[in-house]
């Protein structure tokens, strides 16, 4: 792809991000812009469209993990987006209540960053679980012997996420109790099943909540966007002695991690 065309794709993608009012990634790697561009032309519905989405992300280097590819292919994204949405296009989508479901490439990125902390039998917390898609992916990765908790402060989204999961391949894990979805302030985590090997936060915090650090298991990892207007996806490691190390993975743009009233405008 030549330089002029790459630049066009860059401007096009950023325009889409800021005109829409919702975005979760402003990663500028050409491979991701290529993926976004080409996926506009993907066709298919149900498992066909979902498989094409995953293959496209693999083709352009977004997904390098076989295990992540298998999980994303197994869990149909189309079951977790509003009816009529472009479920398999690599873009975030509004889900109501000033919330979004992240773009597939961000789901893949976060799954790969957390993959070794999502082994069978491990525990994971998904803060801002939304429609339940990434929570379901976590559950498939840790299996029936693990424990995955999704937390969102919008009751309607939690109800929606439960129904979505029930229709998916992760439904049996919900029935068995190894996956649960709860209404709550995700900034406070979910103490009942702490500590967690993996914590994912799906909205941008001005700073990392102390409650989440406290609930991260020694040897565990957290992926969280941090910042206000300028945001970075942080990867936080907790060593066995409890010390914390953080690094920046990439620049991103997420909706803010805030209170329910602030998110919904008091409605």
């Amino acid at each position: 792809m030549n330089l002029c065309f790459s630049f066009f794709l860059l401007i096009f993608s950023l325009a889409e991000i800021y005109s829409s009012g919702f975005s979760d990634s402003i990663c500028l790697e050409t491979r991701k812009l290529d993926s976004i561009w080409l996926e506009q032309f993907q066709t298919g519905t149900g498992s066909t469209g979902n498989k094409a989405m995953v293959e496209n992300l693999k083709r352009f280097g977004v997904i390098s993990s076989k295990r992540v590819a298998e999980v994303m292919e197994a869990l149909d994204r189309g079951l977790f987006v509003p009816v009529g949405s472009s479920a398999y296009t690599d873009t975030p989508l509004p889900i109501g209540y000033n919330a979004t479901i992240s773009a597939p490439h961000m789901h893949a990125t976060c799954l790969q960053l957390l993959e070794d902390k999502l082994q069978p039998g491990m525990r994971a917390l998904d803060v801002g679980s939304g429609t339940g898609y990434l929570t379901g992916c976590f559950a498939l990765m840790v299996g029936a012997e693990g424990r995955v908790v999704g937390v969102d402060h919008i009751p309607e989204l939690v109800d929606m996420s439960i129904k979505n999961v029930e229709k998916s391949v992760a439904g049996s894990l919900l029935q068995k109790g190894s996956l649960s979805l709860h209404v709550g302030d995700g900034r406070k985590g979910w103490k009942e099943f702490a500590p967690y090997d993996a914590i994912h936060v799906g909205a941008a915090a001005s700073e990392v909540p102390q409650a989440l650090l406290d609930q991260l298991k020694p040897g565990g990892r957290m992926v969280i966007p941090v910042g206000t207007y300028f945001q970075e996806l942080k990867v936080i490691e907790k060593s066995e002695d409890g010390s914390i190390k953080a690094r920046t993975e990439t620049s991103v743009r997420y909706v803010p991690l805030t209170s329910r009233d602030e998110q919904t405008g008091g409605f």
Side-chain angles (χ1 to χ4, degrees):
M1 186 172 65
N2 63 44
L3 182 61
C4 290
F5 191 53
S6 296
F7 180 75
F8 169 77
L9 287 179
L10 170 60
I11 298 302
F12 175 83
S13 297
L14 291 177
E16 283 290 300
I17 285 169
Y18 289 105
S19 65
S20 67
F22 57 88
S23 60
D24 60 4
S25 175
I26 52 174
C27 304
L28 303 184
E29 292 95 329
T30 300
R31 68 186 188 189
K32 291 180 181 177
L33 293 176
D34 288 345
S35 177
I36 292 169
W37 177 261
L38 290 177
E39 201 156 29
Q40 308 301 320
F41 301 97
Q42 292 284 3
T43 59
T45 58
S47 60
T48 302
N50 198 67
K51 182 177 176 62
M53 176 192 78
V54 174
E55 288 299 320
N56 197 50
L57 294 172
K58 287 167 58 179
R59 187 182 314 132
F60 290 95
V62 179
I63 295 177
S64 57
S65 163
K66 180 181 178 181
R67 186 163 170 249
V68 168
E70 289 173 347
V71 166
M72 290 186 67
E73 190 171 315
L75 196 67
D76 186 356
R77 189 171 188 262
L79 299 175
F80 294 85
V81 302
V83 175
S85 298
S86 301
Y88 309 113
T89 301
D90 193 15
T91 185
L93 295 170
I95 57 175
Y97 311 97
N98 292 322
T100 64
I101 179 173
S102 293
H105 78 267
M106 283 307 299
H107 284 147
T109 297
C110 292
L111 286 168
Q112 292 188 151
L113 288 171
L114 291 169
E115 181 176 4
D116 64 328
K117 307 300 180 184
L118 294 168
Q119 298 300 314
M122 289 185 170
R123 295 189 173 204
L125 173 65
D126 187 19
V127 173
S129 48
T131 64
Y133 175 78
L134 201 60
T135 323
C137 288
F138 291 163
L140 293 179
M141 294 181 83
V142 304
E145 301 304 315
R147 195 67 167 81
V148 174
V149 177
V151 180
D152 202 290
H153 54 201
I154 306 295
E156 293 85 352
L157 286 180
V158 174
D159 290 342
M160 181 195 305
S161 68
I162 291 171
K163 292 175 183 177
N164 293 341
V165 171
E166 286 175 340
K167 293 182 291 185
S168 77
V169 294
S172 62
L173 298 172
L174 186 67
Q175 293 175 349
K176 292 176 181 176
S178 53
L179 164 60
S180 59
L181 296 144
H182 306 271
V183 177
D185 186 342
R187 296 171 297 181
K188 299 178 181 178
W190 196 263
K191 290 183 178 179
E192 183 180 358
F193 300 108
Y196 300 97
D197 298 280
I199 296 178
H200 168 265
V201 182
S206 57
E207 59 184 24
V208 181
Q210 185 61 47
L212 299 183
L213 291 173
D214 292 343
Q215 292 175 37
L216 186 63
K217 184 179 180 179
R221 182 178 303 140
M222 183 191 313
V223 172
I224 177 172
V226 178
T228 51
Y229 189 79
F230 296 102
Q231 301 170 4
E232 296 176 326
L233 189 66
K234 297 287 188 181
V235 179
I236 296 173
E237 309 274 359
K238 188 181 221 180
S239 66
E240 294 296 338
D241 65 8
S243 60
I244 299 294
K245 291 184 179 180
R247 65 177 176 84
T248 298
E249 176 68 17
T250 187
S251 297
V252 292
R253 186 70 184 166
Y254 278 69
V255 296
L257 183 66
T258 185
S259 70
R260 177 185 174 187
D261 286 344
E262 287 176 326
Q263 180 174 327
T264 61
F267 292 101

